[in-house]
């Protein structure tokens, strides 16, 4: 089963169980975000990846320049550990981590949640790659991915117990679009997946193919 088949199955099994009023708000917000054109305005293949300097779950600091000094980078943005679709996507990436590193690439994930939340996520799923905290979503904004939840959707998330005020360090309404980038050593984005639909993610097999298609290092 592909990752997106797994995500679709999870959605079909669990989404109907939510209260009808909550589903109505979520459906409307999803349609509005898709119609906003934000996915098209985000960075895509051929653009230059903006640099960043972000903390890891264990308190270290990672920069894009440091990552690129050793090879290409697979950079994935996710909403947070509270999002079951993000957890499934990160687990799928972990399953392909050895294949990614075998191609000389580094995998890193970025979310707006505080480092303690990232640490809990890393330990729960035994993630072997860095999970970085982008408080306030400043890095996601540079990639054209950050957006603010409408008030009624933020209220639904509160009612579901996601507590984004706490896990996002005082930035409860700002999230990134799900996105994954393959970035070459010269900081050029060679492959990109961006979607306003949080139930869809980059297929690990596609990003492995993108890594295989990178021009030889000079």
């Amino acid at each position: 089963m592909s990752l997106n088949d797994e995500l679709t199955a999870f959605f079909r099994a669990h989404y109907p169980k939510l209260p009808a009023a909550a589903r109505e708000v979520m459906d409307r917000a999803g349609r509005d975000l898709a119609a906003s054109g934000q996915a098209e305005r985000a960075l895509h293949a051929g653009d230059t990846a903006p640099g960043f300097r972000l903390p890891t779950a264990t308190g270290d600091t990672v920069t894009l320049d440091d990552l690129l000094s050793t090879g290409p980078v697979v950079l994935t943005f996710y909403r947070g550990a509270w999002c079951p679709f993000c957890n499934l996507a990160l687990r799928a990436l972990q399953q392909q981590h050895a294949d990614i590193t075998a191609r000389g690439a580094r995998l890193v994930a970025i979310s707006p949640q505080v480092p303690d939340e990232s640490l809990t996520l890393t330990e729960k799923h035994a993630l072997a790659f860095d999970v970085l905290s982008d408080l306030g979503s400043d890095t996601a904004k540079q990639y054209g991915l950050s957006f603010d939840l409408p008030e009624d959707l933020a209220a639904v998330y509160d009612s579901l117990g996601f507590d984004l005020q706490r896990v996002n360090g005082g930035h409860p309404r700002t999230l990134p679009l799900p996105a994954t980038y393959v970035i070459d050593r010269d900081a050029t984005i060679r492959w990109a997946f961006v979607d306003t639909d949080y139930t869809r993610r980059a297929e690990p097999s596609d990003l492995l193919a993108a890594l295989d298609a990178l021009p030889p290092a000079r």
Side-chain angles (χ1 to χ4, degrees), residues 59-108:
D60 295 325
T61 299
V62 169
T63 71
L64 181 59
D65 285 344
D66 287 343
L67 294 169
L68 292 174
S69 69
T70 62
V73 170
V74 175
L75 180 64
T76 190
F77 288 85
Y78 69 102
R79 306 197 305 165
W82 53 271
C83 170
F85 299 93
C86 297
N87 291 323
L88 289 171
L90 291 175
R91 188 180 68 184
L93 288 172
Q94 175 58 38
Q95 291 171 348
Q96 299 297 325
H97 184 246
D99 291 325
I100 292 171
T101 57
R103 289 162 169 79
R106 287 281 300 275
L107 170 63
V108 292

Side-chain angles (χ1 to χ4, degrees), residues 94-150:
Q94 175 58 38
Q95 291 171 348
Q96 299 297 325
H97 184 246
D99 291 325
I100 292 171
T101 57
R103 289 162 169 79
R106 287 281 300 275
L107 170 63
V108 292
I110 294 178
S111 86
Q113 63 189 7
V114 297
D116 280 351
E117 292 293 316
S118 297
L119 181 59
T120 300
L121 175 73
T122 299
E123 293 174 342
K124 178 180 179 180
H125 297 290
L127 301 181
F129 52 88
D130 282 323
V131 178
L132 310 181
S133 292
D134 179 27
L135 294 182
S137 294
D138 290 336
T139 297
K141 183 176 182 179
Q142 292 182 65
Y143 283 75
L145 302 171
S146 69
F147 70 98
D148 287 338
L149 297 171

